[in-house]
Amino acid sequence: MRRRLSRSVIVAALSIGLLNVAAVAASSEPEVANAPVAISPDLVNENVLFAFDHPPIVARAKALIDASTPGSKIDLPLYYFNQQTIIDSLKLAKERGVDIRVLLDGHMRGQWQHTALRAFLGADKSQPSYVAVCGNRVADGDSFVASRGCIGTRQFGGDNDPSYALNHNKFITLSGVLLTNGTVATNVTYISSANLDTYDAYQSALTVTDPKVHLYYSFYFADLEFHQSSTGDDAYNRRWGAAADPYQLFAFPFHETGADSPYDGTNDPIANILRTEACTAGGSIKVANYRIQRAAVVTQLIAAAKRGCVVQAVFGQSGDNPETPDDETFAALKDLAAPDSGIIVRQCGSAAAYGGIPMHEKFLTIRKDASTAPQLLVGSANLTYKGLRQSDENVLRVRDADIIAKYTARADDFYRLCKVWTP
């Protein structure tokens, strides 16, 4: 019969403060009720999960929570979730001694998920565990939105058509995860394009075990927590790590410089990376992003294509509301697909003509030229002005070849599967 780790052994392993993987000896003691459920080491280190609907994504997040060890910590900022299984897993984790902090988007204030979490986490931010909400729940036509994000508070548009900031993050940090090989992985970070709900869409989730990535996201969560009860910071403009590091984190919102318009390209880290890399012949840029709106990003993509760089662009939603007579399609997206751009743009969208399943992922791979190692940008942010200037978002820059190869193959799959889009 396979033996399980005792609570005392796991706590002892955590207390010695190893950075990546702490070895834990097997115990002959009886199984502990509500012990963590071990997860394969392959699922926590440089693991990429691709899905065409949300159940696999939810299952992965649940498995990580279920493997959290007594005395460890979980931080979870989340735009939206509606899965009881996530609540159940968080409750069991709390009962076995895991400290859990959850930050929800304001449109979830007072909803059943918020109420259920508050019942066992509480709402006191001075305690090791709590659930807090960023902003208030505001009516927006037939739906509801948040009045602000945790850090971002900026409102665009007039009183008749406001656009509010949100807490759009979908990451989890876990300080201790029990593995099937009898060790405890520390510094585990899960980064996804998907909310933990039910939604048929192409999604991805990246899980890495790395002390710096975990530290960067922990810093970001601390700021989300602090600004949740402050006036916010619309010029947050944070980055951790250097451009050449294995990992670099960008945390939003980023404010335009000087008196420039929020709709220009100043202080746009994605546009700046594309400009700096200056992809040319022998190189490639492969974009898979749900919404492509920002003119500065599109300008750099078109410039790269004209230099001979292979540029692929796939999106999921054009910005147009089919229920209105007006054409609200993003102007920059039209420019990207124009005949003289040199780029064939494809869509995987909700309409049957575009496959019926939207592409909701948010990543971009860059290879400057044939002799340069590639890089990946991946996280929660759409290529919109809301994602740049208003909302709480994260984008991780990755230089790990194995991870990048998986996302590059995913981009190529989309480019074969998704349909050519013309304005």
Side-chain angles (χ1 to χ4, degrees):
M1 179 177 178
R2 185 168 63 90
R3 293 177 297 182
R4 304 295 294 273
L5 296 182
S6 72
R7 177 188 177 106
S8 61
V9 172
I10 296 167
V11 172
L14 290 171
S15 67
I16 64 176
L18 296 181
L19 284 179
N20 287 313
V21 178
V24 181
S27 170
S28 60
E29 297 179 10
E31 291 188 2
V32 178
N34 188 19
V37 179
I39 190 172
S40 170
D42 294 337
L43 300 183
V44 302
N45 192 20
E46 300 182 356
N47 180 268
V48 181
L49 171 63
F50 296 122
F52 62 85
D53 58 9
H54 280 204
I57 302 286
V58 173
R60 177 60 50 81
K62 179 183 184 301
L64 290 167
I65 296 167
D66 289 343
S68 60
T69 52
S72 66
K73 297 180 180 180
I74 294 175
D75 288 338
L76 169 57
L78 192 59
Y79 173 63
Y80 181 68
F81 80 103
N82 65 2
Q83 296 298 288
Q84 182 65 43
T85 56
I86 296 298
I87 294 174
D88 294 341
S89 290
L90 289 170
K91 187 173 189 294
L92 286 172
K94 172 69 164 53
E95 290 173 352
R96 66 175 173 268
V98 179
D99 293 337
I100 301 168
R101 301 185 296 181
V102 179
L103 290 171
L104 298 176
D105 185 64
H107 82 284
M108 297 189 69
R109 182 179 292 277
Q111 302 307 291
W112 69 268
Q113 304 96 317
H114 177 209
T115 301
L117 290 174
R118 191 169 52 196
F120 63 90
L121 293 179
D124 185 351
K125 287 169 60 180
S126 68
Q127 298 301 308
S129 295
Y130 67 80
V131 58
V133 184
C134 300
N136 294 312
R137 183 175 167 88
V138 177
D140 182 31
D142 295 332
S143 61
F144 291 87
V145 297
S147 62
R148 55 167 284 181
C150 301
I151 296 173
T153 66
R154 203 169 184 183
Q155 179 178 326
F156 288 170
D159 293 337
N160 294 328
D161 187 25
S163 170
Y164 298 97
L166 355 137
N167 170 24
H168 198 237
N169 288 297
K170 314 152 199 307
F171 70 84
I172 309 173
T173 60
L174 306 99
S175 68
V177 172
L178 180 63
L179 304 180
T180 53
N181 62 9
T183 64
V184 173
T186 63
N187 301 309
V188 177
T189 307
Y190 158 99
I191 303 134
S192 182
S193 64
N195 302 305
L196 299 177
D197 60 355
T198 52
Y199 178 44
D200 288 339
Y202 295 106
Q203 303 280 15
S204 62
L206 169 65
T207 307
V208 296
T209 299
D210 183 273
K212 286 190 176 181
V213 174
H214 190 274
L215 183 64
Y216 298 160
Y217 275 94
S218 296
F219 284 157
Y220 183 35
F221 185 90
D223 285 347
L224 292 166
E225 176 190 51
F226 172 77
H227 287 291
Q228 180 265 343
S229 54
S230 78
T231 55
D233 185 359
D234 291 320
Y236 185 61
N237 306 346
R238 290 294 192 278
R239 53 174 59 84
W240 289 278
D245 287 351
Y247 298 100
Q248 182 184 32
L249 176 62
F250 298 90
F252 298 74
F254 272 69
H255 201 282
E256 66 275 11
T257 58
D260 294 321
S261 164
Y263 302 107
D264 70 16
T266 60
N267 207 22
D268 181 335
I270 309 304
N272 289 342
I273 289 171
L274 292 171
R275 183 183 301 108
T276 301
E277 292 300 312
C279 178
T280 187
S284 67
I285 301 172
K286 301 181 180 184
V287 183
N289 196 283
Y290 182 57
R291 292 190 176 112
I292 302 175
Q293 180 191 26
R294 301 208 300 262
V297 171
V298 167
T299 296
Q300 294 305 318
L301 293 175
I302 294 173
K306 293 186 182 303
R307 289 192 296 267
C309 176
V310 174
V311 179
Q312 298 176 188
V314 179
F315 71 97
Q317 206 269 346
S318 69
D320 182 48
N321 182 353
E323 297 180 0
T324 65
D326 298 329
D327 179 10
E328 300 104 341
T329 302
F330 299 133
L333 183 61
K334 292 181 178 180
D335 293 340
L336 188 65
D340 61 350
S341 73
I343 301 168
I344 297 174
V345 176
R346 295 177 179 267
Q347 180 183 14
C348 275
S350 300
Y354 292 101
I357 302 177
M359 194 284 302
H360 193 257
E361 300 185 38
K362 298 108 173 28
F363 72 87
L364 183 156
T365 66
I366 310 170
R367 189 182 186 107
K368 181 177 181 178
D369 52 45
S371 63
T372 304
Q375 58 185 289
L376 166 72
L377 300 170
V378 64
S380 67
N382 295 310
L383 293 173
T384 59
Y385 294 105
K386 179 186 283 288
L388 172 67
R389 305 297 190 202
Q390 292 180 273
S391 296
D392 306 330
E393 305 272 12
N394 69 91
V395 172
L396 184 66
R397 190 181 201 173
V398 179
R399 292 189 180 275
D400 182 281
D402 291 339
I403 294 174
I404 297 170
K406 293 172 184 176
Y407 277 95
T408 300
R410 178 71 159 179
D412 290 340
D413 288 344
F414 281 141
Y415 215 61
R416 288 188 291 268
L417 172 69
C418 301
K419 308 301 182 183
V420 175
W421 180 83
T422 53

